[in-house]
Coordinates of all heavy atoms in Angstrom, one line a residue:
M1 N 2.0 -1.2 -10.5 CA 2.1 -2.6 -10.8 C 2.2 -3.3 -9.4 O 2.9 -2.9 -8.5 CB 3.4 -2.9 -11.5 CG 3.4 -4.1 -12.4 SD 4.8 -4.2 -13.5 CE 5.0 -2.5 -14.0
T2 N 1.4 -4.4 -9.3 CA 1.4 -5.1 -8.1 C 2.0 -6.5 -8.2 O 1.8 -7.2 -9.3 CB -0.1 -5.3 -7.5 OG1 -1.0 -4.9 -8.5 CG2 -0.3 -4.6 -6.3
L3 N 2.6 -7.0 -7.2 CA 3.1 -8.4 -7.2 C 1.9 -9.3 -7.2 O 0.8 -9.1 -6.6 CB 3.9 -8.7 -5.9 CG 5.2 -8.0 -5.7 CD1 5.8 -8.2 -4.4 CD2 6.2 -8.4 -6.9
L4 N 2.1 -10.4 -7.9 CA 1.1 -11.5 -8.0 C 1.3 -12.4 -6.8 O 2.4 -12.6 -6.3 CB 1.2 -12.3 -9.3 CG 1.0 -11.6 -10.6 CD1 1.3 -12.5 -11.8 CD2 -0.4 -11.0 -10.7
S5 N 0.2 -12.9 -6.3 CA 0.2 -13.8 -5.1 C 0.8 -15.2 -5.6 O 0.9 -15.5 -6.8 CB -1.2 -14.1 -4.6 OG -1.9 -14.8 -5.5
D6 N 1.2 -16.0 -4.6 CA 1.8 -17.3 -4.9 C 0.8 -18.1 -5.7 O 1.1 -18.8 -6.7 CB 2.1 -18.1 -3.7 CG 3.3 -17.5 -3.0 OD1 4.1 -16.7 -3.6 OD2 3.5 -17.7 -1.8
S7 N -0.5 -18.1 -5.4 CA -1.5 -18.9 -6.1 C -1.7 -18.3 -7.5 O -1.9 -19.1 -8.4 CB -2.8 -19.0 -5.3 OG -3.4 -17.7 -5.1
E8 N -1.7 -17.0 -7.7 CA -1.9 -16.4 -9.0 C -0.7 -16.9 -9.9 O -0.9 -17.2 -11.1 CB -1.9 -14.9 -8.9 CG -3.2 -14.4 -8.3 CD -3.2 -12.9 -8.1 OE1 -2.1 -12.4 -7.6 OE2 -4.2 -12.2 -8.4
I9 N 0.5 -16.9 -9.4 CA 1.7 -17.3 -10.1 C 1.6 -18.7 -10.5 O 1.8 -19.1 -11.7 CB 3.0 -17.0 -9.4 CG1 3.2 -15.5 -9.2 CG2 4.2 -17.6 -10.1 CD1 4.3 -15.1 -8.2
E10 N 1.2 -19.6 -9.6 CA 1.1 -21.0 -9.8 C 0.0 -21.3 -10.9 O 0.2 -22.1 -11.8 CB 0.8 -21.8 -8.6 CG 2.0 -21.8 -7.6 CD 3.3 -22.2 -8.2 OE1 3.4 -23.1 -9.0 OE2 4.3 -21.5 -8.0
Q11 N -1.1 -20.6 -10.8 CA -2.2 -20.7 -11.8 C -1.7 -20.3 -13.2 O -2.0 -21.0 -14.2 CB -3.4 -19.9 -11.4 CG -4.2 -20.4 -10.3 CD -5.3 -19.5 -9.8 OE1 -5.4 -18.4 -10.4 NE2 -6.0 -19.9 -8.8
R12 N -1.0 -19.2 -13.3 CA -0.5 -18.8 -14.6 C 0.6 -19.7 -15.2 O 0.7 -19.8 -16.4 CB 0.1 -17.3 -14.4 CG -0.9 -16.3 -14.0 CD -1.9 -16.0 -15.1 NE -1.3 -15.6 -16.4 CZ -1.0 -14.4 -16.8 NH1 -1.3 -13.4 -16.1 NH2 -0.5 -14.2 -18.0
L13 N 1.3 -20.4 -14.3 CA 2.4 -21.3 -14.8 C 1.9 -22.6 -15.2 O 2.5 -23.4 -15.9 CB 3.4 -21.5 -13.7 CG 4.3 -20.3 -13.4 CD1 5.2 -20.5 -12.2 CD2 5.1 -19.9 -14.6
A14 N 0.7 -23.0 -14.7 CA 0.1 -24.3 -15.1 C 0.1 -24.5 -16.6 O -0.4 -23.7 -17.3 CB -1.3 -24.4 -14.5
G15 N 0.7 -25.6 -17.0 CA 0.7 -26.0 -18.4 C 1.7 -25.2 -19.2 O 1.7 -25.3 -20.4
S16 N 2.5 -24.4 -18.6 CA 3.5 -23.6 -19.2 C 4.9 -24.2 -19.1 O 5.2 -25.0 -18.2 CB 3.5 -22.2 -18.5 OG 4.6 -21.4 -19.0
A17 N 5.8 -23.8 -20.0 CA 7.2 -24.3 -20.0 C 8.0 -23.4 -19.0 O 9.1 -23.8 -18.7 CB 7.8 -24.2 -21.4
W18 N 7.4 -22.3 -18.5 CA 8.0 -21.5 -17.5 C 7.9 -22.1 -16.1 O 6.9 -22.8 -15.9 CB 7.4 -20.1 -17.5 CG 7.7 -19.3 -18.8 CD1 7.0 -19.4 -19.9 CD2 8.8 -18.4 -19.0 NE1 7.6 -18.6 -20.9 CE2 8.7 -17.9 -20.3 CE3 9.8 -17.9 -18.2 CZ2 9.5 -17.0 -20.9 CZ3 10.7 -17.0 -18.7 CH2 10.5 -16.6 -20.1
Q19 N 8.9 -21.9 -15.3 CA 8.8 -22.4 -13.9 C 9.2 -21.3 -12.9 O 9.9 -20.3 -13.3 CB 9.9 -23.5 -13.7 CG 9.6 -24.7 -14.6 CD 10.7 -25.7 -14.5 OE1 11.8 -25.5 -14.0 NE2 10.4 -27.0 -14.9
R20 N 8.7 -21.4 -11.7 CA 9.0 -20.5 -10.7 C 10.3 -20.8 -10.0 O 10.5 -22.0 -9.7 CB 7.9 -20.4 -9.7 CG 8.1 -19.3 -8.7 CD 6.9 -19.1 -7.9 NE 7.1 -17.9 -7.0 CZ 6.3 -17.5 -6.1 NH1 5.2 -18.2 -5.8 NH2 6.5 -16.4 -5.4
E21 N 11.1 -19.8 -9.8 CA 12.3 -19.9 -9.0 C 12.4 -18.7 -8.1 O 12.7 -17.6 -8.5 CB 13.6 -20.0 -9.8 CG 13.7 -21.4 -10.5 CD 15.1 -21.6 -11.2 OE1 16.0 -20.7 -11.0 OE2 15.2 -22.6 -11.8
G22 N 12.0 -18.9 -6.8 CA 12.0 -17.8 -5.9 C 11.0 -16.7 -6.4 O 9.9 -16.9 -6.6
A23 N 11.6 -15.5 -6.5 CA 10.8 -14.3 -6.9 C 10.9 -14.1 -8.4 O 10.8 -12.9 -8.9 CB 11.3 -13.1 -6.2
T24 N 11.1 -15.1 -9.2 CA 11.3 -15.0 -10.7 C 10.5 -16.2 -11.3 O 10.1 -17.2 -10.7 CB 12.7 -15.1 -11.1 OG1 13.2 -16.4 -10.9 CG2 13.6 -14.1 -10.4
I25 N 10.3 -16.0 -12.7 CA 9.9 -17.1 -13.5 C 11.0 -17.3 -14.5 O 11.7 -16.4 -15.0 CB 8.6 -16.9 -14.2 CG1 8.5 -15.7 -15.0 CG2 7.5 -17.0 -13.1 CD1 7.2 -15.5 -15.9
V26 N 11.3 -18.6 -14.8 CA 12.5 -18.9 -15.7 C 12.0 -20.0 -16.8 O 11.1 -20.7 -16.6 CB 13.7 -19.5 -14.9 CG1 14.2 -18.5 -13.9 CG2 13.3 -20.8 -14.3
R27 N 12.7 -19.9 -17.9 CA 12.5 -20.9 -18.9 C 13.9 -21.2 -19.6 O 14.7 -20.2 -19.8 CB 11.5 -20.5 -19.9 CG 11.2 -21.6 -21.0 CD 10.1 -21.3 -21.9 NE 10.0 -22.3 -22.9 CZ 9.3 -22.2 -24.0 NH1 8.6 -21.2 -24.2 NH2 9.4 -23.2 -24.9
N28 N 14.1 -22.4 -20.0 CA 15.3 -22.8 -20.8 C 14.9 -23.3 -22.2 O 13.9 -23.9 -22.4 CB 16.0 -24.0 -20.0 CG 16.4 -23.5 -18.7 OD1 17.4 -22.8 -18.5 ND2 15.8 -24.1 -17.6
W29 N 15.8 -23.0 -23.1 CA 15.7 -23.4 -24.5 C 17.0 -24.1 -24.9 O 18.1 -23.7 -24.4 CB 15.5 -22.2 -25.4 CG 14.1 -21.6 -25.4 CD1 13.1 -21.9 -26.3 CD2 13.6 -20.6 -24.5 NE1 12.0 -21.1 -25.9 CE2 12.3 -20.3 -24.9 CE3 14.2 -20.0 -23.4 CZ2 11.5 -19.4 -24.2 CZ3 13.4 -19.0 -22.7 CH2 12.1 -18.8 -23.1
R30 N 16.9 -25.0 -25.8 CA 18.1 -25.6 -26.5 C 17.8 -25.5 -28.0 O 16.8 -25.9 -28.5 CB 18.2 -27.1 -26.0 CG 19.4 -27.8 -26.6 CD 19.5 -29.2 -26.1 NE 19.6 -29.3 -24.7 CZ 20.7 -29.5 -24.0 NH1 21.8 -29.8 -24.6 NH2 20.7 -29.6 -22.7
F31 N 18.9 -25.1 -28.7 CA 18.8 -24.8 -30.1 C 19.7 -25.8 -30.8 O 20.7 -26.3 -30.2 CB 19.1 -23.4 -30.4 CG 18.1 -22.4 -29.8 CD1 18.2 -21.9 -28.6 CD2 16.9 -22.1 -30.6 CE1 17.3 -21.0 -28.0 CE2 16.0 -21.3 -30.0 CZ 16.1 -20.7 -28.8
P32 N 19.5 -25.9 -32.1 CA 20.4 -26.9 -32.9 C 21.8 -26.4 -33.0 O 22.7 -27.2 -33.1 CB 19.7 -26.9 -34.3 CG 18.4 -26.3 -34.2 CD 18.4 -25.4 -32.9
N33 N 22.0 -25.1 -32.9 CA 23.4 -24.6 -33.0 C 23.5 -23.2 -32.4 O 22.5 -22.6 -31.9 CB 23.8 -24.5 -34.5 CG 22.8 -23.7 -35.3 OD1 22.6 -22.5 -35.0 ND2 22.3 -24.3 -36.3
F34 N 24.7 -22.7 -32.3 CA 25.0 -21.5 -31.6 C 24.3 -20.3 -32.3 O 23.8 -19.4 -31.7 CB 26.6 -21.3 -31.6 CG 27.0 -20.0 -31.0 CD1 27.0 -19.8 -29.6 CD2 27.5 -18.9 -31.8 CE1 27.4 -18.6 -29.0 CE2 27.9 -17.7 -31.2 CZ 27.8 -17.6 -29.8
L35 N 24.4 -20.3 -33.6 CA 23.8 -19.1 -34.4 C 22.3 -19.0 -34.1 O 21.7 -17.9 -34.0 CB 24.1 -19.2 -35.9 CG 25.5 -19.0 -36.3 CD1 25.7 -19.1 -37.8 CD2 26.0 -17.6 -35.8
D36 N 21.6 -20.2 -34.0 CA 20.1 -20.1 -33.7 C 19.9 -19.6 -32.3 O 18.9 -18.9 -32.1 CB 19.5 -21.5 -33.9 CG 19.4 -21.9 -35.3 OD1 19.5 -21.1 -36.2 OD2 19.1 -23.1 -35.6
A37 N 20.8 -20.0 -31.4 CA 20.6 -19.5 -30.0 C 20.8 -18.0 -30.0 O 20.1 -17.3 -29.3 CB 21.6 -20.2 -29.1
V38 N 21.8 -17.5 -30.7 CA 22.1 -16.0 -30.7 C 21.0 -15.3 -31.4 O 20.5 -14.2 -30.9 CB 23.5 -15.7 -31.3 CG1 23.6 -14.3 -31.6 CG2 24.6 -16.3 -30.5
A39 N 20.4 -15.9 -32.5 CA 19.3 -15.2 -33.2 C 18.1 -15.1 -32.2 O 17.4 -14.1 -32.2 CB 19.0 -16.0 -34.4
F40 N 17.9 -16.2 -31.4 CA 16.8 -16.1 -30.5 C 17.0 -15.0 -29.4 O 16.1 -14.2 -29.1 CB 16.6 -17.5 -29.8 CG 15.6 -17.5 -28.7 CD1 14.2 -17.4 -29.0 CD2 15.9 -17.6 -27.4 CE1 13.2 -17.4 -28.0 CE2 15.0 -17.6 -26.4 CZ 13.6 -17.5 -26.7
V41 N 18.2 -14.9 -28.9 CA 18.5 -13.9 -27.9 C 18.3 -12.5 -28.5 O 17.7 -11.6 -27.9 CB 20.0 -14.0 -27.4 CG1 20.5 -12.8 -26.7 CG2 20.2 -15.3 -26.6
N42 N 18.7 -12.3 -29.8 CA 18.4 -11.0 -30.4 C 17.0 -10.7 -30.6 O 16.5 -9.6 -30.4 CB 19.2 -11.0 -31.8 CG 20.7 -10.8 -31.6 OD1 21.1 -10.3 -30.6 ND2 21.4 -11.3 -32.6
A43 N 16.2 -11.7 -30.9 CA 14.7 -11.6 -31.1 C 14.1 -11.2 -29.7 O 13.2 -10.4 -29.6 CB 14.1 -12.8 -31.6
V44 N 14.6 -11.9 -28.6 CA 14.1 -11.6 -27.3 C 14.5 -10.1 -26.9 O 13.6 -9.4 -26.4 CB 14.7 -12.5 -26.2 CG1 14.5 -12.1 -24.8 CG2 14.1 -13.9 -26.4
A45 N 15.7 -9.7 -27.3 CA 16.1 -8.3 -27.0 C 15.2 -7.3 -27.7 O 14.8 -6.3 -27.1 CB 17.5 -8.1 -27.5
D46 N 14.7 -7.6 -28.9 CA 13.8 -6.7 -29.6 C 12.5 -6.6 -28.9 O 11.9 -5.5 -28.7 CB 13.6 -7.2 -31.1 CG 14.8 -7.0 -32.0 OD1 15.7 -6.1 -31.6 OD2 14.9 -7.6 -33.0
V47 N 11.9 -7.8 -28.5 CA 10.7 -7.8 -27.8 C 10.8 -7.1 -26.4 O 9.9 -6.3 -26.1 CB 10.2 -9.3 -27.5 CG1 9.1 -9.4 -26.5 CG2 9.8 -9.9 -28.9
A48 N 11.9 -7.3 -25.7 CA 12.1 -6.7 -24.4 C 12.2 -5.2 -24.5 O 11.7 -4.5 -23.7 CB 13.3 -7.3 -23.7
E49 N 13.0 -4.8 -25.5 CA 13.2 -3.3 -25.7 C 11.9 -2.6 -26.0 O 11.5 -1.5 -25.5 CB 14.2 -3.1 -26.7 CG 14.7 -1.7 -26.8 CD 15.5 -1.2 -25.5 OE1 15.9 -2.0 -24.7 OE2 15.6 0.0 -25.3
A50 N 11.1 -3.2 -26.9 CA 9.8 -2.6 -27.2 C 8.8 -2.5 -26.0 O 8.1 -1.6 -25.9 CB 9.1 -3.5 -28.4
A51 N 8.9 -3.5 -25.1 CA 8.0 -3.6 -24.0 C 8.6 -2.8 -22.8 O 8.0 -2.6 -21.8 CB 7.7 -5.0 -23.6
N52 N 9.9 -2.4 -22.9 CA 10.7 -1.8 -21.8 C 10.6 -2.7 -20.6 O 10.4 -2.3 -19.4 CB 10.2 -0.4 -21.5 CG 11.1 0.3 -20.6 OD1 12.4 0.1 -20.7 ND2 10.6 1.2 -19.8
H53 N 10.7 -4.0 -20.8 CA 10.7 -5.0 -19.7 C 11.8 -6.1 -20.1 O 11.5 -6.8 -21.0 CB 9.3 -5.6 -19.5 CG 9.2 -6.4 -18.3 ND1 9.2 -5.8 -17.0 CD2 9.1 -7.7 -18.1 CE1 9.0 -6.7 -16.1 NE2 9.0 -7.9 -16.7
H54 N 12.9 -6.1 -19.4 CA 14.1 -6.8 -19.9 C 14.4 -8.0 -19.0 O 14.6 -7.9 -17.8 CB 15.3 -5.9 -19.9 CG 15.0 -4.6 -20.7 ND1 14.5 -3.5 -20.1 CD2 15.2 -4.4 -22.0 CE1 14.4 -2.6 -21.1 NE2 14.8 -3.1 -22.2
P55 N 14.4 -9.2 -19.6 CA 14.8 -10.4 -18.8 C 16.3 -10.5 -18.6 O 17.0 -9.8 -19.3 CB 14.3 -11.5 -19.7 CG 14.5 -11.0 -21.1 CD 14.2 -9.5 -21.0
D56 N 16.7 -11.3 -17.6 CA 18.1 -11.7 -17.5 C 18.2 -12.8 -18.6 O 17.4 -13.7 -18.6 CB 18.4 -12.2 -16.1 CG 18.3 -11.1 -15.1 OD1 18.5 -9.9 -15.4 OD2 18.2 -11.4 -13.9
I57 N 19.3 -12.7 -19.4 CA 19.5 -13.6 -20.4 C 20.9 -14.3 -20.2 O 21.9 -13.6 -20.0 CB 19.6 -12.9 -21.8 CG1 18.2 -12.2 -22.1 CG2 19.9 -13.9 -22.9 CD1 18.3 -11.3 -23.3
F58 N 20.8 -15.6 -20.2 CA 22.0 -16.4 -20.0 C 22.2 -17.3 -21.2 O 21.4 -18.3 -21.4 CB 21.9 -17.2 -18.7 CG 23.1 -18.1 -18.4 CD1 24.4 -17.6 -18.5 CD2 22.9 -19.3 -17.9 CE1 25.5 -18.4 -18.2 CE2 24.0 -20.2 -17.6 CZ 25.3 -19.7 -17.7
L59 N 23.2 -17.1 -22.1 CA 23.5 -17.9 -23.2 C 24.7 -18.8 -22.8 O 25.8 -18.3 -22.4 CB 23.9 -17.1 -24.4 CG 24.4 -17.8 -25.7 CD1 23.4 -18.8 -26.2 CD2 24.8 -16.8 -26.7
H60 N 24.5 -20.1 -22.7 CA 25.5 -21.0 -22.2 C 25.7 -22.2 -23.1 O 24.8 -22.5 -23.9 CB 25.3 -21.3 -20.7 CG 24.0 -22.0 -20.5 ND1 23.9 -23.3 -20.2 CD2 22.7 -21.5 -20.5 CE1 22.6 -23.6 -20.0 NE2 21.9 -22.5 -20.2
G61 N 26.8 -22.9 -22.8 CA 27.1 -24.0 -23.7 C 27.3 -23.4 -25.1 O 27.7 -22.3 -25.2
W62 N 26.9 -24.1 -26.1 CA 27.0 -23.5 -27.4 C 25.6 -23.3 -28.0 O 25.5 -22.8 -29.1 CB 27.9 -24.4 -28.3 CG 27.5 -25.8 -28.4 CD1 27.8 -26.8 -27.5 CD2 26.6 -26.4 -29.3 NE1 27.2 -28.0 -27.8 CE2 26.4 -27.8 -28.9 CE3 25.9 -25.9 -30.4 CZ2 25.6 -28.7 -29.6 CZ3 25.1 -26.8 -31.1 CH2 25.0 -28.2 -30.7
N63 N 24.6 -23.8 -27.3 CA 23.2 -23.8 -27.9 C 22.1 -23.6 -26.9 O 20.9 -23.9 -27.2 CB 23.0 -25.0 -28.7 CG 22.9 -26.3 -27.8 OD1 23.4 -26.3 -26.7 ND2 22.3 -27.3 -28.4
Q64 N 22.4 -23.2 -25.7 CA 21.3 -23.1 -24.7 C 21.1 -21.7 -24.2 O 22.1 -20.9 -24.0 CB 21.7 -24.0 -23.5 CG 21.8 -25.4 -23.9 CD 22.4 -26.3 -22.8 OE1 21.8 -26.3 -21.7 NE2 23.5 -26.9 -22.9
V65 N 19.9 -21.3 -24.0 CA 19.5 -20.0 -23.5 C 18.6 -20.2 -22.3 O 17.6 -21.0 -22.3 CB 18.8 -19.2 -24.6 CG1 18.3 -17.8 -24.0 CG2 19.7 -19.0 -25.8
R66 N 18.8 -19.4 -21.3 CA 18.0 -19.4 -20.1 C 17.5 -17.9 -19.9 O 18.4 -17.0 -19.8 CB 18.7 -19.9 -18.8 CG 18.0 -19.8 -17.5 CD 18.9 -20.3 -16.4 NE 18.2 -20.2 -15.1 CZ 17.5 -21.1 -14.6 NH1 17.2 -22.3 -15.2 NH2 16.9 -21.0 -13.4
L67 N 16.2 -17.8 -19.7 CA 15.7 -16.4 -19.5 C 15.1 -16.4 -18.1 O 14.4 -17.4 -17.7 CB 14.6 -16.1 -20.5 CG 15.0 -16.0 -22.0 CD1 13.8 -15.6 -22.8 CD2 16.2 -15.0 -22.1
T68 N 15.3 -15.3 -17.4 CA 14.7 -15.1 -16.1 C 13.9 -13.8 -16.1 O 14.5 -12.8 -16.5 CB 15.8 -15.0 -15.0 OG1 16.6 -16.2 -15.1 CG2 15.2 -14.9 -13.6
L69 N 12.7 -13.8 -15.7 CA 11.8 -12.7 -15.6 C 11.4 -12.4 -14.2 O 11.0 -13.3 -13.5 CB 10.6 -12.9 -16.5 CG 10.8 -12.8 -18.0 CD1 9.5 -13.4 -18.7 CD2 11.0 -11.3 -18.4
S70 N 11.5 -11.1 -13.8 CA 10.9 -10.6 -12.6 C 10.8 -9.1 -12.8 O 11.5 -8.5 -13.6 CB 11.6 -11.0 -11.4 OG 12.8 -10.2 -11.2
T71 N 10.0 -8.5 -12.0 CA 9.9 -7.0 -12.0 C 10.7 -6.5 -10.9 O 10.3 -6.5 -9.7 CB 8.4 -6.5 -11.9 OG1 7.7 -7.2 -13.0 CG2 8.3 -5.0 -12.0
H72 N 11.9 -6.1 -11.2 CA 12.9 -5.7 -10.2 C 12.4 -4.6 -9.3 O 12.6 -4.6 -8.1 CB 14.2 -5.4 -10.8 CG 14.8 -6.5 -11.6 ND1 15.3 -7.6 -11.1 CD2 15.0 -6.6 -13.0 CE1 15.8 -8.4 -12.0 NE2 15.6 -7.8 -13.2
S73 N 11.7 -3.6 -9.9 CA 11.2 -2.5 -9.1 C 10.2 -2.9 -8.1 O 10.0 -2.2 -7.1 CB 10.6 -1.4 -10.0 OG 9.5 -1.9 -10.7
E74 N 9.5 -4.1 -8.3 CA 8.5 -4.6 -7.4 C 9.0 -5.7 -6.5 O 8.4 -6.1 -5.5 CB 7.3 -5.0 -8.1 CG 6.6 -4.0 -8.9 CD 6.0 -2.8 -8.0 OE1 5.5 -3.1 -6.9 OE2 6.1 -1.7 -8.5
G75 N 10.2 -6.2 -6.8 CA 10.8 -7.3 -6.0 C 10.1 -8.6 -6.2 O 10.2 -9.5 -5.3
G76 N 9.6 -8.9 -7.4 CA 9.0 -10.2 -7.7 C 8.3 -10.2 -9.0 O 8.5 -9.4 -9.9
V77 N 7.3 -11.2 -9.1 CA 6.6 -11.4 -10.3 C 5.3 -10.6 -10.4 O 4.5 -10.6 -9.5 CB 6.3 -13.0 -10.5 CG1 5.6 -13.3 -11.8 CG2 7.6 -13.8 -10.4
T78 N 5.2 -10.0 -11.5 CA 3.9 -9.2 -11.8 C 3.3 -9.6 -13.1 O 3.9 -10.4 -13.8 CB 4.3 -7.7 -11.9 OG1 5.0 -7.4 -13.1 CG2 5.0 -7.2 -10.6
E79 N 2.2 -9.0 -13.5 CA 1.5 -9.3 -14.7 C 2.5 -9.0 -15.9 O 2.4 -9.6 -16.9 CB 0.3 -8.5 -14.8 CG -0.6 -8.8 -16.0 CD -1.0 -10.3 -16.1 OE1 -1.3 -10.9 -15.1 OE2 -0.9 -10.8 -17.2
S80 N 3.3 -8.0 -15.8 CA 4.3 -7.6 -16.8 C 5.2 -8.8 -17.2 O 5.6 -8.9 -18.3 CB 5.1 -6.4 -16.4 OG 4.3 -5.3 -16.3
D81 N 5.6 -9.6 -16.2 CA 6.4 -10.7 -16.5 C 5.7 -11.8 -17.3 O 6.3 -12.3 -18.2 CB 6.9 -11.3 -15.1 CG 7.7 -10.3 -14.4 OD1 8.7 -9.7 -14.9 OD2 7.3 -10.0 -13.2
F82 N 4.5 -12.0 -17.0 CA 3.7 -13.0 -17.8 C 3.4 -12.5 -19.2 O 3.4 -13.2 -20.1 CB 2.5 -13.4 -17.0 CG 2.8 -14.4 -16.0 CD1 2.8 -14.0 -14.6 CD2 3.0 -15.8 -16.3 CE1 3.1 -15.0 -13.6 CE2 3.3 -16.7 -15.3 CZ 3.4 -16.3 -14.0
A83 N 3.2 -11.2 -19.3 CA 3.0 -10.6 -20.6 C 4.3 -10.7 -21.5 O 4.2 -11.1 -22.7 CB 2.6 -9.1 -20.5
A84 N 5.4 -10.5 -20.9 CA 6.7 -10.7 -21.6 C 6.9 -12.1 -21.9 O 7.3 -12.5 -23.0 CB 7.9 -10.1 -20.7
A85 N 6.6 -13.0 -21.0 CA 6.8 -14.5 -21.2 C 5.9 -14.9 -22.4 O 6.4 -15.7 -23.3 CB 6.4 -15.3 -20.0
E86 N 4.7 -14.4 -22.5 CA 3.8 -14.8 -23.6 C 4.4 -14.3 -25.0 O 4.4 -15.0 -26.0 CB 2.4 -14.2 -23.4 CG 1.6 -14.9 -22.3 CD 0.4 -14.2 -22.0 OE1 -0.1 -13.2 -22.7 OE2 -0.2 -14.5 -20.9
Q87 N 4.9 -13.1 -25.0 CA 5.5 -12.5 -26.2 C 6.8 -13.4 -26.6 O 7.0 -13.7 -27.8 CB 5.9 -11.1 -26.0 CG 4.7 -10.2 -26.0 CD 5.2 -8.7 -25.9 OE1 6.1 -8.4 -25.2 NE2 4.5 -7.9 -26.7
I88 N 7.6 -13.7 -25.6 CA 8.8 -14.5 -25.9 C 8.4 -15.9 -26.4 O 9.0 -16.4 -27.3 CB 9.6 -14.6 -24.6 CG1 10.2 -13.2 -24.3 CG2 10.7 -15.6 -24.8 CD1 10.8 -13.0 -23.0
D89 N 7.3 -16.5 -25.8 CA 6.9 -17.8 -26.2 C 6.5 -17.8 -27.7 O 6.7 -18.8 -28.4 CB 5.7 -18.3 -25.4 CG 6.1 -18.8 -24.0 OD1 7.4 -19.0 -23.8 OD2 5.3 -18.9 -23.1
R90 N 6.0 -16.7 -28.2 CA 5.6 -16.7 -29.6 C 6.8 -16.7 -30.5 O 6.7 -17.0 -31.7 CB 4.8 -15.4 -29.9 CG 3.4 -15.5 -29.3 CD 2.6 -14.2 -29.7 NE 1.6 -14.0 -28.7 CZ 1.5 -12.9 -28.0 NH1 2.4 -11.9 -28.2 NH2 0.6 -12.7 -27.0
L91 N 8.0 -16.4 -30.0 CA 9.2 -16.4 -30.8 C 9.8 -17.8 -31.1 O 10.5 -18.1 -32.1 CB 10.4 -15.6 -30.1 CG 10.1 -14.2 -29.8 CD1 11.2 -13.6 -29.0 CD2 10.0 -13.4 -31.1
S92 N 9.5 -18.7 -30.2 CA 10.1 -20.1 -30.3 C 9.1 -21.1 -30.9 O 8.0 -20.9 -31.1 CB 10.6 -20.6 -28.9 OG 9.6 -20.6 -28.0

């Protein structure tokens, strides 16, 4: 797996709800209630486990979720991160 260049990352993020933060891509969600937020986290966990590519998950407030993706073994963003982001986007 190879790291994507800055321009490749920016191109992939264009028109997306994901944003770049350093060597990661991140996205935030707000749900109507706590149970919906937890259900989303559980659905993300299923997708992540199946792909063997796990985001950092931050459930905060009572209804907000923040996901952070990067390929830790490569030290930055790879195609695997965007593949995971696409699968996660289908959940919401």
